[in-house]
Amino acid sequence: MLDHLITHDGNLRMVPTDRSELTTAVGQLHEELRALPEGTDPARTRVLTRWIGIGQMCLGHHADARTFLRQSLDLAAAIGNTRAVLATRLNLGDAHRYAGDVQGADALYRSALNTARSQHPELLDFALQHTGKHLMERGDLAGAQAHLQEALRLRIVKGDTGLVDSTQAALDRVELLIGQADASAADNAAPRQ
């Protein structure tokens, strides 16, 4: 819905390709949401609130993002759409991570990962990817690398080059950080003259 207005920055976080266009698009989704007649299928409300939340997160409006994503998550749970629950839980985890709420993000990613492993193995690569990025930002580079390597294996099997490229970019970033950490450790261990 907003995919064409979102890209990833050097830290692999979602950001707008054009801030004013994304702001306008999110505003249009708000208008559509407000205009929904009473008794509208909750699935449409769920989709709109999810995308409004994703858009707000990309724009840096973390509190609004969390509000809309929580509403979307609650709607997904109420209608029994476990795939949407999992996907929205990952988005909500991102919103918490972007806002600096490590504990909130961690709980959401862990829950999504458990759900993917037990109920939706076809979505496991997404849960691993989001969790891997979270671990990378937390400084758990070995954990991030393990999660992203597993995601990469699954995505290669899926044969989706876009997904493979996304995971490879995340793995490249983790390996760069590992190399920098190793170089720093070696530098600190070198004798001083």
Side-chain angles (χ1 to χ4, degrees), residues 48-81:
L48 288 172
T49 54
R50 179 173 179 236
W51 280 103
I52 291 168
I54 291 169
Q56 294 287 26
M57 176 178 60
C58 294
L59 292 166
H61 305 147
H62 304 300
D64 288 340
R66 288 191 306 263
T67 297
F68 280 99
L69 288 168
R70 174 57 62 190
Q71 183 181 355
S72 183
L73 180 60
D74 292 346
L75 286 166
I79 60 179
N81 186 338

PDB file of all heavy atoms in Angstrom, residues 48-81:
ATOM      1  N   LEU A  48      -5.895  -0.737   7.061  1.00  0.00           N
ATOM      2  CA  LEU A  48      -5.647   0.708   7.086  1.00  0.00           C
ATOM      3  C   LEU A  48      -4.840   1.118   8.312  1.00  0.00           C
ATOM      4  O   LEU A  48      -3.874   1.885   8.201  1.00  0.00           O
ATOM      5  CB  LEU A  48      -6.968   1.483   7.037  1.00  0.00           C
ATOM      6  CG  LEU A  48      -7.702   1.459   5.697  1.00  0.00           C
ATOM      7  CD1 LEU A  48      -9.081   2.096   5.838  1.00  0.00           C
ATOM      8  CD2 LEU A  48      -6.892   2.153   4.605  1.00  0.00           C
ATOM      9  N   THR A  49      -5.219   0.607   9.486  1.00  0.00           N
ATOM     10  CA  THR A  49      -4.484   0.991  10.696  1.00  0.00           C
ATOM     11  C   THR A  49      -3.048   0.473  10.657  1.00  0.00           C
ATOM     12  O   THR A  49      -2.122   1.155  11.118  1.00  0.00           O
ATOM     13  CB  THR A  49      -5.195   0.518  11.978  1.00  0.00           C
ATOM     14  OG1 THR A  49      -5.437  -0.894  11.897  1.00  0.00           O
ATOM     15  CG2 THR A  49      -6.502   1.263  12.191  1.00  0.00           C
ATOM     16  N   ARG A  50      -2.839  -0.696  10.063  1.00  0.00           N
ATOM     17  CA  ARG A  50      -1.475  -1.227   9.958  1.00  0.00           C
ATOM     18  C   ARG A  50      -0.620  -0.315   9.079  1.00  0.00           C
ATOM     19  O   ARG A  50       0.490   0.051   9.456  1.00  0.00           O
ATOM     20  CB  ARG A  50      -1.493  -2.648   9.396  1.00  0.00           C
ATOM     21  CG  ARG A  50      -0.089  -3.224   9.258  1.00  0.00           C
ATOM     22  CD  ARG A  50      -0.100  -4.691   8.854  1.00  0.00           C
ATOM     23  NE  ARG A  50       1.260  -5.163   8.729  1.00  0.00           N
ATOM     24  CZ  ARG A  50       1.737  -5.723   7.625  1.00  0.00           C
ATOM     25  NH1 ARG A  50       0.960  -5.925   6.572  1.00  0.00           N
ATOM     26  NH2 ARG A  50       2.991  -6.115   7.578  1.00  0.00           N
ATOM     27  N   TRP A  51      -1.137   0.053   7.935  1.00  0.00           N
ATOM     28  CA  TRP A  51      -0.339   0.876   7.028  1.00  0.00           C
ATOM     29  C   TRP A  51      -0.157   2.300   7.545  1.00  0.00           C
ATOM     30  O   TRP A  51       0.884   2.916   7.330  1.00  0.00           O
ATOM     31  CB  TRP A  51      -0.902   0.832   5.614  1.00  0.00           C
ATOM     32  CG  TRP A  51      -0.452  -0.425   4.939  1.00  0.00           C
ATOM     33  CD1 TRP A  51      -1.180  -1.554   4.716  1.00  0.00           C
ATOM     34  CD2 TRP A  51       0.863  -0.698   4.455  1.00  0.00           C
ATOM     35  NE1 TRP A  51      -0.401  -2.523   4.121  1.00  0.00           N
ATOM     36  CE2 TRP A  51       0.867  -2.016   3.947  1.00  0.00           C
ATOM     37  CE3 TRP A  51       2.050   0.037   4.415  1.00  0.00           C
ATOM     38  CZ2 TRP A  51       2.005  -2.597   3.398  1.00  0.00           C
ATOM     39  CZ3 TRP A  51       3.187  -0.549   3.854  1.00  0.00           C
ATOM     40  CH2 TRP A  51       3.152  -1.854   3.353  1.00  0.00           C
ATOM     41  N   ILE A  52      -1.153   2.818   8.231  1.00  0.00           N
ATOM     42  CA  ILE A  52      -0.975   4.134   8.858  1.00  0.00           C
ATOM     43  C   ILE A  52       0.156   4.028   9.888  1.00  0.00           C
ATOM     44  O   ILE A  52       1.035   4.893   9.956  1.00  0.00           O
ATOM     45  CB  ILE A  52      -2.276   4.637   9.511  1.00  0.00           C
ATOM     46  CG1 ILE A  52      -3.312   4.987   8.430  1.00  0.00           C
ATOM     47  CG2 ILE A  52      -2.007   5.851  10.405  1.00  0.00           C
ATOM     48  CD1 ILE A  52      -4.718   5.226   8.968  1.00  0.00           C
ATOM     49  N   GLY A  53       0.147   2.964  10.673  1.00  0.00           N
ATOM     50  CA  GLY A  53       1.198   2.766  11.675  1.00  0.00           C
ATOM     51  C   GLY A  53       2.577   2.626  11.053  1.00  0.00           C
ATOM     52  O   GLY A  53       3.548   3.221  11.533  1.00  0.00           O
ATOM     53  N   ILE A  54       2.679   1.868   9.976  1.00  0.00           N
ATOM     54  CA  ILE A  54       3.970   1.710   9.293  1.00  0.00           C
ATOM     55  C   ILE A  54       4.434   3.059   8.749  1.00  0.00           C
ATOM     56  O   ILE A  54       5.601   3.427   8.893  1.00  0.00           O
ATOM     57  CB  ILE A  54       3.863   0.654   8.172  1.00  0.00           C
ATOM     58  CG1 ILE A  54       3.668  -0.742   8.777  1.00  0.00           C
ATOM     59  CG2 ILE A  54       5.102   0.689   7.273  1.00  0.00           C
ATOM     60  CD1 ILE A  54       3.300  -1.817   7.771  1.00  0.00           C
ATOM     61  N   GLY A  55       3.521   3.788   8.133  1.00  0.00           N
ATOM     62  CA  GLY A  55       3.871   5.101   7.600  1.00  0.00           C
ATOM     63  C   GLY A  55       4.329   6.051   8.691  1.00  0.00           C
ATOM     64  O   GLY A  55       5.339   6.755   8.542  1.00  0.00           O
ATOM     65  N   GLN A  56       3.597   6.070   9.803  1.00  0.00           N
ATOM     66  CA  GLN A  56       3.974   6.944  10.921  1.00  0.00           C
ATOM     67  C   GLN A  56       5.352   6.553  11.473  1.00  0.00           C
ATOM     68  O   GLN A  56       6.152   7.422  11.825  1.00  0.00           O
ATOM     69  CB  GLN A  56       2.921   6.880  12.041  1.00  0.00           C
ATOM     70  CG  GLN A  56       1.579   7.442  11.652  1.00  0.00           C
ATOM     71  CD  GLN A  56       1.575   8.959  11.559  1.00  0.00           C
ATOM     72  OE1 GLN A  56       2.578   9.605  11.327  1.00  0.00           O
ATOM     73  NE2 GLN A  56       0.398   9.540  11.730  1.00  0.00           N
ATOM     74  N   MET A  57       5.626   5.264  11.536  1.00  0.00           N
ATOM     75  CA  MET A  57       6.928   4.799  12.020  1.00  0.00           C
ATOM     76  C   MET A  57       8.039   5.309  11.100  1.00  0.00           C
ATOM     77  O   MET A  57       9.067   5.811  11.579  1.00  0.00           O
ATOM     78  CB  MET A  57       6.947   3.275  12.086  1.00  0.00           C
ATOM     79  CG  MET A  57       8.275   2.677  12.479  1.00  0.00           C
ATOM     80  SD  MET A  57       8.224   0.881  12.603  1.00  0.00           S
ATOM     81  CE  MET A  57       7.741   0.397  10.953  1.00  0.00           C
ATOM     82  N   CYS A  58       7.839   5.200   9.796  1.00  0.00           N
ATOM     83  CA  CYS A  58       8.845   5.657   8.834  1.00  0.00           C
ATOM     84  C   CYS A  58       9.059   7.161   8.919  1.00  0.00           C
ATOM     85  O   CYS A  58      10.160   7.648   8.657  1.00  0.00           O
ATOM     86  CB  CYS A  58       8.439   5.279   7.415  1.00  0.00           C
ATOM     87  SG  CYS A  58       8.428   3.500   7.136  1.00  0.00           S
ATOM     88  N   LEU A  59       8.009   7.875   9.276  1.00  0.00           N
ATOM     89  CA  LEU A  59       8.097   9.337   9.413  1.00  0.00           C
ATOM     90  C   LEU A  59       8.681   9.760  10.767  1.00  0.00           C
ATOM     91  O   LEU A  59       8.909  10.940  11.007  1.00  0.00           O
ATOM     92  CB  LEU A  59       6.714   9.960   9.225  1.00  0.00           C
ATOM     93  CG  LEU A  59       6.147   9.863   7.807  1.00  0.00           C
ATOM     94  CD1 LEU A  59       4.657  10.202   7.790  1.00  0.00           C
ATOM     95  CD2 LEU A  59       6.929  10.771   6.847  1.00  0.00           C
ATOM     96  N   GLY A  60       8.899   8.791  11.655  1.00  0.00           N
ATOM     97  CA  GLY A  60       9.478   9.092  12.960  1.00  0.00           C
ATOM     98  C   GLY A  60       8.468   9.449  14.024  1.00  0.00           C
ATOM     99  O   GLY A  60       8.832   9.899  15.103  1.00  0.00           O
ATOM    100  N   HIS A  61       7.189   9.220  13.759  1.00  0.00           N
ATOM    101  CA  HIS A  61       6.124   9.493  14.733  1.00  0.00           C
ATOM    102  C   HIS A  61       5.831   8.200  15.493  1.00  0.00           C
ATOM    103  O   HIS A  61       4.822   7.537  15.268  1.00  0.00           O
ATOM    104  CB  HIS A  61       4.871  10.017  14.023  1.00  0.00           C
ATOM    105  CG  HIS A  61       5.147  11.217  13.164  1.00  0.00           C
ATOM    106  ND1 HIS A  61       4.472  11.454  11.995  1.00  0.00           N
ATOM    107  CD2 HIS A  61       6.029  12.238  13.303  1.00  0.00           C
ATOM    108  CE1 HIS A  61       4.917  12.571  11.449  1.00  0.00           C
ATOM    109  NE2 HIS A  61       5.877  13.052  12.222  1.00  0.00           N
ATOM    110  N   HIS A  62       6.717   7.857  16.399  1.00  0.00           N
ATOM    111  CA  HIS A  62       6.689   6.539  17.029  1.00  0.00           C
ATOM    112  C   HIS A  62       5.466   6.296  17.912  1.00  0.00           C
ATOM    113  O   HIS A  62       4.930   5.182  17.923  1.00  0.00           O
ATOM    114  CB  HIS A  62       7.981   6.305  17.799  1.00  0.00           C
ATOM    115  CG  HIS A  62       9.200   6.463  16.945  1.00  0.00           C
ATOM    116  ND1 HIS A  62       9.433   5.688  15.833  1.00  0.00           N
ATOM    117  CD2 HIS A  62      10.235   7.335  17.013  1.00  0.00           C
ATOM    118  CE1 HIS A  62      10.557   6.059  15.263  1.00  0.00           C
ATOM    119  NE2 HIS A  62      11.066   7.060  15.954  1.00  0.00           N
ATOM    120  N   ALA A  63       5.033   7.291  18.661  1.00  0.00           N
ATOM    121  CA  ALA A  63       3.858   7.093  19.524  1.00  0.00           C
ATOM    122  C   ALA A  63       2.619   6.813  18.668  1.00  0.00           C
ATOM    123  O   ALA A  63       1.853   5.888  18.962  1.00  0.00           O
ATOM    124  CB  ALA A  63       3.635   8.306  20.417  1.00  0.00           C
ATOM    125  N   ASP A  64       2.420   7.599  17.612  1.00  0.00           N
ATOM    126  CA  ASP A  64       1.286   7.352  16.711  1.00  0.00           C
ATOM    127  C   ASP A  64       1.407   5.995  16.045  1.00  0.00           C
ATOM    128  O   ASP A  64       0.423   5.265  15.903  1.00  0.00           O
ATOM    129  CB  ASP A  64       1.194   8.444  15.633  1.00  0.00           C
ATOM    130  CG  ASP A  64       0.717   9.779  16.178  1.00  0.00           C
ATOM    131  OD1 ASP A  64       0.102   9.801  17.264  1.00  0.00           O
ATOM    132  OD2 ASP A  64       0.954  10.799  15.504  1.00  0.00           O
ATOM    133  N   ALA A  65       2.615   5.650  15.632  1.00  0.00           N
ATOM    134  CA  ALA A  65       2.846   4.354  14.991  1.00  0.00           C
ATOM    135  C   ALA A  65       2.434   3.221  15.916  1.00  0.00           C
ATOM    136  O   ALA A  65       1.708   2.299  15.513  1.00  0.00           O
ATOM    137  CB  ALA A  65       4.314   4.212  14.594  1.00  0.00           C
ATOM    138  N   ARG A  66       2.870   3.298  17.161  1.00  0.00           N
ATOM    139  CA  ARG A  66       2.532   2.234  18.117  1.00  0.00           C
ATOM    140  C   ARG A  66       1.033   2.174  18.364  1.00  0.00           C
ATOM    141  O   ARG A  66       0.460   1.087  18.477  1.00  0.00           O
ATOM    142  CB  ARG A  66       3.313   2.427  19.420  1.00  0.00           C
ATOM    143  CG  ARG A  66       4.789   2.117  19.269  1.00  0.00           C
ATOM    144  CD  ARG A  66       5.508   2.052  20.606  1.00  0.00           C
ATOM    145  NE  ARG A  66       5.326   3.242  21.413  1.00  0.00           N
ATOM    146  CZ  ARG A  66       6.186   4.257  21.486  1.00  0.00           C
ATOM    147  NH1 ARG A  66       7.302   4.227  20.784  1.00  0.00           N
ATOM    148  NH2 ARG A  66       5.944   5.288  22.258  1.00  0.00           N
ATOM    149  N   THR A  67       0.371   3.326  18.432  1.00  0.00           N
ATOM    150  CA  THR A  67      -1.083   3.349  18.652  1.00  0.00           C
ATOM    151  C   THR A  67      -1.813   2.640  17.521  1.00  0.00           C
ATOM    152  O   THR A  67      -2.676   1.782  17.751  1.00  0.00           O
ATOM    153  CB  THR A  67      -1.582   4.803  18.795  1.00  0.00           C
ATOM    154  OG1 THR A  67      -0.964   5.379  19.946  1.00  0.00           O
ATOM    155  CG2 THR A  67      -3.091   4.863  18.925  1.00  0.00           C
ATOM    156  N   PHE A  68      -1.495   2.998  16.282  1.00  0.00           N
ATOM    157  CA  PHE A  68      -2.190   2.406  15.138  1.00  0.00           C
ATOM    158  C   PHE A  68      -1.827   0.932  14.949  1.00  0.00           C
ATOM    159  O   PHE A  68      -2.689   0.108  14.634  1.00  0.00           O
ATOM    160  CB  PHE A  68      -1.909   3.202  13.858  1.00  0.00           C
ATOM    161  CG  PHE A  68      -2.753   4.438  13.752  1.00  0.00           C
ATOM    162  CD1 PHE A  68      -2.240   5.672  14.111  1.00  0.00           C
ATOM    163  CD2 PHE A  68      -4.071   4.368  13.320  1.00  0.00           C
ATOM    164  CE1 PHE A  68      -3.016   6.814  14.042  1.00  0.00           C
ATOM    165  CE2 PHE A  68      -4.864   5.504  13.242  1.00  0.00           C
ATOM    166  CZ  PHE A  68      -4.331   6.737  13.600  1.00  0.00           C
ATOM    167  N   LEU A  69      -0.566   0.594  15.164  1.00  0.00           N
ATOM    168  CA  LEU A  69      -0.176  -0.810  15.018  1.00  0.00           C
ATOM    169  C   LEU A  69      -0.798  -1.671  16.116  1.00  0.00           C
ATOM    170  O   LEU A  69      -1.182  -2.815  15.860  1.00  0.00           O
ATOM    171  CB  LEU A  69       1.350  -0.934  14.998  1.00  0.00           C
ATOM    172  CG  LEU A  69       1.998  -0.411  13.717  1.00  0.00           C
ATOM    173  CD1 LEU A  69       3.505  -0.282  13.887  1.00  0.00           C
ATOM    174  CD2 LEU A  69       1.656  -1.301  12.526  1.00  0.00           C
ATOM    175  N   ARG A  70      -0.930  -1.149  17.320  1.00  0.00           N
ATOM    176  CA  ARG A  70      -1.598  -1.890  18.396  1.00  0.00           C
ATOM    177  C   ARG A  70      -3.062  -2.113  18.027  1.00  0.00           C
ATOM    178  O   ARG A  70      -3.601  -3.198  18.226  1.00  0.00           O
ATOM    179  CB  ARG A  70      -1.459  -1.123  19.719  1.00  0.00           C
ATOM    180  CG  ARG A  70      -2.225  -1.708  20.891  1.00  0.00           C
ATOM    181  CD  ARG A  70      -1.912  -3.148  21.233  1.00  0.00           C
ATOM    182  NE  ARG A  70      -0.548  -3.349  21.633  1.00  0.00           N
ATOM    183  CZ  ARG A  70      -0.009  -4.557  21.798  1.00  0.00           C
ATOM    184  NH1 ARG A  70      -0.724  -5.645  21.617  1.00  0.00           N
ATOM    185  NH2 ARG A  70       1.256  -4.683  22.159  1.00  0.00           N
ATOM    186  N   GLN A  71      -3.710  -1.078  17.477  1.00  0.00           N
ATOM    187  CA  GLN A  71      -5.108  -1.219  17.054  1.00  0.00           C
ATOM    188  C   GLN A  71      -5.217  -2.287  15.968  1.00  0.00           C
ATOM    189  O   GLN A  71      -6.116  -3.147  16.008  1.00  0.00           O
ATOM    190  CB  GLN A  71      -5.637   0.127  16.541  1.00  0.00           C
ATOM    191  CG  GLN A  71      -7.099   0.080  16.140  1.00  0.00           C
ATOM    192  CD  GLN A  71      -7.597   1.428  15.612  1.00  0.00           C
ATOM    193  OE1 GLN A  71      -6.890   2.433  15.622  1.00  0.00           O
ATOM    194  NE2 GLN A  71      -8.819   1.436  15.132  1.00  0.00           N
ATOM    195  N   SER A  72      -4.306  -2.278  15.004  1.00  0.00           N
ATOM    196  CA  SER A  72      -4.320  -3.271  13.937  1.00  0.00           C
ATOM    197  C   SER A  72      -4.081  -4.672  14.488  1.00  0.00           C
ATOM    198  O   SER A  72      -4.748  -5.636  14.083  1.00  0.00           O
ATOM    199  CB  SER A  72      -3.258  -2.927  12.890  1.00  0.00           C
ATOM    200  OG  SER A  72      -3.297  -3.840  11.826  1.00  0.00           O
ATOM    201  N   LEU A  73      -3.155  -4.782  15.425  1.00  0.00           N
ATOM    202  CA  LEU A  73      -2.865  -6.076  16.051  1.00  0.00           C
ATOM    203  C   LEU A  73      -4.090  -6.603  16.790  1.00  0.00           C
ATOM    204  O   LEU A  73      -4.444  -7.783  16.666  1.00  0.00           O
ATOM    205  CB  LEU A  73      -1.676  -5.937  17.004  1.00  0.00           C
ATOM    206  CG  LEU A  73      -1.236  -7.192  17.748  1.00  0.00           C
ATOM    207  CD1 LEU A  73      -0.818  -8.287  16.788  1.00  0.00           C
ATOM    208  CD2 LEU A  73      -0.084  -6.844  18.697  1.00  0.00           C
ATOM    209  N   ASP A  74      -4.757  -5.735  17.527  1.00  0.00           N
ATOM    210  CA  ASP A  74      -5.960  -6.141  18.257  1.00  0.00           C
ATOM    211  C   ASP A  74      -7.060  -6.597  17.298  1.00  0.00           C
ATOM    212  O   ASP A  74      -7.756  -7.583  17.562  1.00  0.00           O
ATOM    213  CB  ASP A  74      -6.469  -5.002  19.143  1.00  0.00           C
ATOM    214  CG  ASP A  74      -5.529  -4.696  20.312  1.00  0.00           C
ATOM    215  OD1 ASP A  74      -4.633  -5.523  20.606  1.00  0.00           O
ATOM    216  OD2 ASP A  74      -5.682  -3.614  20.912  1.00  0.00           O
ATOM    217  N   LEU A  75      -7.213  -5.891  16.181  1.00  0.00           N
ATOM    218  CA  LEU A  75      -8.224  -6.281  15.189  1.00  0.00           C
ATOM    219  C   LEU A  75      -7.871  -7.630  14.555  1.00  0.00           C
ATOM    220  O   LEU A  75      -8.746  -8.476  14.361  1.00  0.00           O
ATOM    221  CB  LEU A  75      -8.353  -5.209  14.099  1.00  0.00           C
ATOM    222  CG  LEU A  75      -9.076  -3.935  14.507  1.00  0.00           C
ATOM    223  CD1 LEU A  75      -8.845  -2.833  13.475  1.00  0.00           C
ATOM    224  CD2 LEU A  75     -10.570  -4.203  14.662  1.00  0.00           C
ATOM    225  N   ALA A  76      -6.606  -7.829  14.238  1.00  0.00           N
ATOM    226  CA  ALA A  76      -6.173  -9.099  13.647  1.00  0.00           C
ATOM    227  C   ALA A  76      -6.455 -10.254  14.596  1.00  0.00           C
ATOM    228  O   ALA A  76      -6.945 -11.316  14.183  1.00  0.00           O
ATOM    229  CB  ALA A  76      -4.689  -9.042  13.298  1.00  0.00           C
ATOM    230  N   ALA A  77      -6.177 -10.040  15.885  1.00  0.00           N
ATOM    231  CA  ALA A  77      -6.444 -11.080  16.881  1.00  0.00           C
ATOM    232  C   ALA A  77      -7.943 -11.327  17.016  1.00  0.00           C
ATOM    233  O   ALA A  77      -8.386 -12.483  17.098  1.00  0.00           O
ATOM    234  CB  ALA A  77      -5.843 -10.684  18.222  1.00  0.00           C
ATOM    235  N   ALA A  78      -8.737 -10.261  17.019  1.00  0.00           N
ATOM    236  CA  ALA A  78     -10.189 -10.388  17.191  1.00  0.00           C
ATOM    237  C   ALA A  78     -10.834 -11.161  16.034  1.00  0.00           C
ATOM    238  O   ALA A  78     -11.780 -11.913  16.254  1.00  0.00           O
ATOM    239  CB  ALA A  78     -10.836  -9.011  17.319  1.00  0.00           C
ATOM    240  N   ILE A  79     -10.318 -10.982  14.824  1.00  0.00           N
ATOM    241  CA  ILE A  79     -10.918 -11.700  13.684  1.00  0.00           C
ATOM    242  C   ILE A  79     -10.235 -13.048  13.432  1.00  0.00           C
ATOM    243  O   ILE A  79     -10.615 -13.776  12.531  1.00  0.00           O
ATOM    244  CB  ILE A  79     -10.939 -10.837  12.397  1.00  0.00           C
ATOM    245  CG1 ILE A  79      -9.532 -10.427  11.966  1.00  0.00           C
ATOM    246  CG2 ILE A  79     -11.824  -9.625  12.563  1.00  0.00           C
ATOM    247  CD1 ILE A  79      -9.493  -9.598  10.676  1.00  0.00           C
ATOM    248  N   GLY A  80      -9.226 -13.361  14.248  1.00  0.00           N
ATOM    249  CA  GLY A  80      -8.585 -14.668  14.156  1.00  0.00           C
ATOM    250  C   GLY A  80      -7.609 -14.823  12.997  1.00  0.00           C
ATOM    251  O   GLY A  80      -7.324 -15.935  12.574  1.00  0.00           O
ATOM    252  N   ASN A  81      -7.070 -13.726  12.504  1.00  0.00           N
ATOM    253  CA  ASN A  81      -6.116 -13.773  11.395  1.00  0.00           C
ATOM    254  C   ASN A  81      -4.700 -13.859  11.978  1.00  0.00           C
ATOM    255  O   ASN A  81      -4.049 -12.849  12.217  1.00  0.00           O
ATOM    256  CB  ASN A  81      -6.289 -12.532  10.509  1.00  0.00           C
ATOM    257  CG  ASN A  81      -5.431 -12.574   9.270  1.00  0.00           C
ATOM    258  OD1 ASN A  81      -4.424 -13.278   9.209  1.00  0.00           O
ATOM    259  ND2 ASN A  81      -5.819 -11.787   8.266  1.00  0.00           N
TER     260      ASN A  81
END
